[in-house]
């Protein structure tokens, strides 16, 4: 794992899994979420089912979010956005 923190943008399924994996590998992560809660599109749109086993989406997303928020290696920043481009420094805006 790197010596610095890993920046993860978006608290949907992919972002939550990335943050969990970084922590599991012994790294630290900062997860940026523009909404006031984690879960991404499945949460926002109220998906009925999410997994290949047809597991309830709200249950699956809550479990993923809990794994991240309970980790001391992951810092979650709610109501935040990252703005910038490749030619300038990235900045966190609240």
């Amino acid at each position: 794992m790197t010596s610095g923190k890993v920046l993860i943008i978006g608290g949907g399924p992919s972002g939550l899994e990335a943050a969990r994996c970084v922590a599991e590998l012994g790294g630290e992560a900062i997860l940026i979420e523009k909404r006031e809660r984690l879960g991404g599109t499945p949460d926002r749109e109220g998906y009925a089912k999410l997994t290949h086993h047809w597991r309830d989406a709200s249950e699956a997303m809550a479990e993923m979010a809990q794994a991240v928020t309970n980790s001391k290696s992951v810092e979650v920043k709610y109501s935040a956005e990252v703005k910038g481009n490749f030619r300038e420094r990235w900045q966190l805006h609240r």
Side-chain angles (χ1 to χ4, degrees):
M1 217 51 253
T2 66
S3 60
K5 292 183 180 180
V6 176
L7 178 65
I8 300 166
I9 302 171
S14 297
L16 291 170
E17 182 65 6
R20 186 193 66 77
C21 288
V22 167
E24 189 176 282
L25 291 170
E28 292 182 295
I30 300 172
L31 176 62
I32 305 296
E33 172 53 48
K34 69 180 175 181
R35 299 186 322 140
E36 295 177 8
R37 58 189 279 162
L38 299 172
T41 302
D43 175 70
R44 186 182 68 240
E45 300 299 326
Y47 285 9
K49 303 294 179 191
L50 182 64
T51 69
H52 61 282
H53 296 296
W54 294 102
R55 187 168 168 212
D56 183 70
S58 62
E59 178 185 308
M61 292 310 304
E63 185 178 294
M64 292 177 78
Q66 185 177 22
V68 168
T69 57
N70 286 346
S71 174
K72 293 179 181 177
S73 299
V74 179
E75 178 183 354
V76 180
K77 298 207 178 270
Y78 298 94
S79 301
E81 294 183 15
V82 176
K83 296 183 179 182
N85 62 47
F86 290 111
R87 294 187 183 143
E88 61 185 55
R89 296 190 135 186
W90 293 77
Q91 298 176 349
L92 176 63
H93 294 272
R94 289 189 176 209

